[in-house]
Amino acid sequence: MKRLIPSKLTLVLKSALASCAFMAGAFAPAAQTASSSPIMGVPFTPPETPPALKNSEAILPFFKKLAEYPRGRHLKPLHILQIGDSHTAGDSISGAWRSILQNRYGSGGRGVLAPGIPYKGYIAHGVHVSMSDGWTIGSIFGSHYSSDMPPVGFSGFNLTSHKNGAQISLDSGIEEAFDRFTVCGLAKPGAGIVVVSMGGQFQRVDFNSSWSHSQCVTLTSDMPQVHADVVAAEGPITLTSWASFRDNGGVALSNLGVVGSQLIHLQRSSDQVIATELKVYHPDLIVLAFGTNEGFAPYFDPTAFESVLREQISRIRRLSGNVPILMLGAPDASSRREEMLHNTPGVSPPLCSEPLPTDGFVTSPASNPATASQLSANQSKGVDSVMSTLRQQGVFGSDGNGPDISQPPGSDTNSAQNALPNIVPPSNVIWKVTTHPLFPPAGLAAVRRVQQRVASQLGIAFWDWHARMGGDCAAVHWGKAYPSLMRRDYVHYTSLGGQIIANRLDNDIKNAMESSPSPAR
């Protein structure tokens, strides 16, 4: 595996210490702060947990392809297509998994993306996207949703031009260079022309049609490219996705997530668009990663969710031609909102202990005698400790392509959420349940029970993300950790936390491959 030089990894880890931005979304859980608990960090390394990939025989065809991983010109890469919520949109985990796989097998390009810049704060790791004015955004969820908007596919977004010359552009780094570039949109009466360019090639595609249908155009090149443009001309056009691949073997991992969304919102996407795009993008594994927003809903109905889950799995199988599916179970997360204690029928969740300084230990920055140089030394010591642990676990890498954003930043960007925590040694900490405690919402456990049961009954591979984190209340330990592994909303991950989760998922898949019967080995 290709590794970052120590100085670069140190910078990555130091930058992760301050990545606790307050996040907000319509259905996304709100960040919580305990008035009784200081902003502090406790040195912590997540303990190893048992492998958590179940029903792995369901993805034996993917194992076989991954074990072979041919390399060479004109060979399409192995393609993993992940769809989900803000965990997928933020790419802290899928991006780290992408780096692991591409370091091992080679890069197959960046994969499929939502067209343009679908929301404020959007970052596509590995590439840079730019967009002119003159576009209207549509989405299956959030402020851009409308019941009469044009159809959307798995990306969850569409982009419709309202002036000629409206443009979106994609620039990649060398590692994500591509020789195949695809744009998908809607052909219909009165539609305009799409001008697609890559590496000096130009192609004008008329989207005006006597009937409405999904249409894709692909440009190829004999040499890897790092720039492509899409321009609207001679009338309005609607784009549903675009993608960059490198046909040299290797792996491409696409992350298509909509912030705040639930699985039920996927029903708003078009069968016709999805079928067309799946035929063009040809995934070898589809990863289904919903559940967090369902678990944080004001009321979670397990029966209704199970019906939606079964329906969408059947739909994906029908539209994809039975591509293997891996479901990621809802991870552990925490809240202080009392209504989350009883947002589903059943037993109340456990209350989580939090770290509090022992008597006599000063944590206030104003009264703390530590100088800036001492704080810097403490930070370096913490980074070195974590680096040592990560070397043992094999967790390395970050594309260095900007902050880890899992959903648009909230307005409270200068709050204590962003403050560097006071570093408290474990010997000076006691763990107690506070008067305003953190706890995993009751709905999250109910989500996971439904997911596991349906996966088992329908023959879907299932990864128990919650167990791999360490079970109930693990999010509190990850969020209070130094360096921080989760944001202070106890829901979303820092870049470092995302790397650890990706490494555990990858290890479980490797272990399942090695223990699978021939010819998947």
Side-chain angles (χ1 to χ4, degrees):
M1 179 185 295
K2 181 171 62 179
R3 297 184 175 182
L4 292 174
I5 59 175
S7 60
K8 183 175 180 182
L9 182 56
T10 300
L11 291 174
V12 171
L13 296 178
K14 285 182 177 179
S15 69
L17 303 181
S19 62
C20 297
F22 176 77
M23 308 308 251
F27 271 81
Q32 307 290 337
T33 304
S35 57
S36 60
S37 179
I39 302 300
M40 54 185 284
V42 181
F44 168 75
T45 300
E48 265 301 332
T49 53
L53 180 61
K54 303 177 182 180
N55 313 326
S56 61
E57 63 277 4
I59 55 175
L60 280 176
F62 172 73
F63 286 168
K64 183 178 185 299
K65 292 179 179 179
L66 193 61
E68 294 171 350
Y69 66 94
R71 301 281 296 272
R73 292 189 64 183
H74 309 301
L75 291 175
K76 289 187 176 181
L78 196 69
H79 182 201
I80 301 171
L81 177 64
Q82 178 169 322
I83 54 177
D85 51 29
S86 59
H87 290 305
T88 299
D91 204 31
S92 61
I93 297 168
S94 52
W97 190 23
R98 182 185 304 112
S99 295
I100 292 170
L101 293 172
Q102 291 186 345
N103 283 335
R104 185 182 303 142
Y105 301 112
S107 174
R110 182 56 178 80
V112 187
L113 297 166
I117 300 176
Y119 56 85
K120 182 180 178 181
Y122 174 74
I123 287 182
H125 292 156
V127 297
H128 174 75
V129 177
S130 57
M131 183 171 77
S132 71
D133 59 2
W135 297 98
T136 300
I137 301 168
S139 174
I140 61 172
F141 177 77
S143 61
H144 295 300
Y145 171 70
S146 171
S147 59
D148 60 352
M149 69 181 185
V152 299
F154 269 157
S155 79
F157 294 94
N158 61 37
L159 209 58
T160 301
S161 66
H162 52 80
K163 76 173 186 179
N164 291 335
Q167 177 174 324
I168 57 175
S169 300
L170 184 144
D171 292 275
S172 77
I174 296 299
E175 290 186 356
E176 299 290 6
F178 51 94
D179 54 22
R180 176 164 50 99
F181 181 69
T182 298
V183 179
C184 292
L186 303 176
K188 58 185 179 180
I193 290 174
V194 175
V195 181
V196 184
S197 62
M198 175 187 73
Q201 300 182 65
F202 293 84
Q203 185 168 344
R204 291 169 57 90
V205 183
D206 192 351
F207 273 65
N208 184 28
S209 172
S210 60
W211 60 289
S212 297
H213 62 281
S214 181
Q215 176 175 307
C216 299
V217 56
T218 297
L219 293 184
T220 60
S221 172
D222 290 334
M223 297 292 293
Q225 304 296 324
V226 294
H227 179 82
D229 295 312
V230 180
V231 181
E234 300 181 26
I237 60 168
T238 296
L239 306 178
T240 56
S241 66
W242 58 348
S244 59
F245 293 97
R246 186 171 183 185
D247 291 336
N248 192 44
V251 173
L253 196 160
S254 304
N255 63 299
L256 301 177
V258 178
V259 172
S261 67
Q262 301 181 28
L263 182 61
I264 194 171
H265 298 125
L266 194 61
Q267 294 177 335
R268 295 170 175 172
S269 57
S270 162
D271 280 13
Q272 205 272 337
V273 173
I274 290 175
T276 299
E277 293 182 340
L278 286 176
K279 185 175 180 180
V280 173
Y281 297 139
H282 190 65
D284 299 283
L285 177 69
I286 295 176
V287 179
L288 199 59
F290 290 91
T292 295
N293 293 306
E294 286 87 344
F296 274 84
Y299 178 77
F300 173 71
D301 184 341
T303 301
F305 175 66
E306 180 167 347
S307 176
V308 171
L309 183 57
R310 289 178 180 276
E311 176 187 331
Q312 290 304 309
I313 289 173
S314 175
R315 180 188 184 211
I316 291 170
R317 283 174 159 170
R318 171 172 52 85
L319 296 176
S320 69
N322 286 320
V323 170
I325 299 173
L326 168 62
M327 188 192 307
L328 305 187
D332 186 55
S334 286
S335 174
R336 298 188 195 277
R337 292 155 49 196
E338 291 184 12
E339 62 269 28
M340 294 293 102
L341 282 168
H342 308 287
N343 68 335
T344 195
V347 180
S348 297
L351 303 181
C352 301
S353 297
E354 299 178 56
L356 299 173
T358 55
D359 293 341
F361 190 86
V362 180
T363 60
S364 170
S367 57
N368 195 327
T371 63
S373 60
Q374 289 172 324
L375 180 59
S376 176
N378 286 339
Q379 292 173 356
S380 298
K381 182 178 180 180
V383 169
D384 291 341
S385 175
V386 171
M387 285 176 64
S388 175
T389 301
L390 295 183
R391 287 192 186 97
Q392 297 173 11
Q393 295 184 353
V395 181
F396 288 91
S398 171
D399 54 28
N401 224 15
D404 170 29
I405 296 179
S406 53
Q407 55 186 47
S411 59
D412 195 14
T413 54
N414 295 317
S415 71
Q417 298 282 341
N418 296 314
L420 189 68
N422 292 281
I423 312 307
V424 183
S427 59
N428 294 102
V429 164
I430 55 174
W431 289 78
K432 288 186 176 181
V433 175
T434 68
T435 56
H436 190 41
L438 284 162
F439 55 87
L444 277 179
V447 167
R448 285 189 289 270
R449 287 193 292 269
V450 172
Q451 289 175 323
Q452 289 198 48
R453 181 172 63 253
V454 170
S456 177
Q457 292 175 356
L458 297 186
I460 299 296
F462 178 82
W463 190 64
D464 194 340
W465 187 346
H466 167 262
R468 254 334 213 140
M469 283 184 68
D472 288 341
C473 297
V476 177
H477 288 266
W478 286 52
K480 299 288 189 181
Y482 172 80
S484 180
L485 305 179
M486 292 187 78
R487 302 182 186 281
R488 291 284 170 160
D489 62 2
Y490 304 102
V491 175
H492 298 99
Y493 297 80
T494 63
S495 295
L496 180 56
Q499 290 177 48
I500 294 173
I501 293 295
N503 185 70
R504 292 184 175 189
L505 172 60
D506 181 71
N507 281 340
D508 288 357
I509 288 176
K510 284 194 302 180
N511 290 337
M513 283 180 58
E514 291 171 358
S515 62
S516 65
S518 298
R521 288 184 178 180

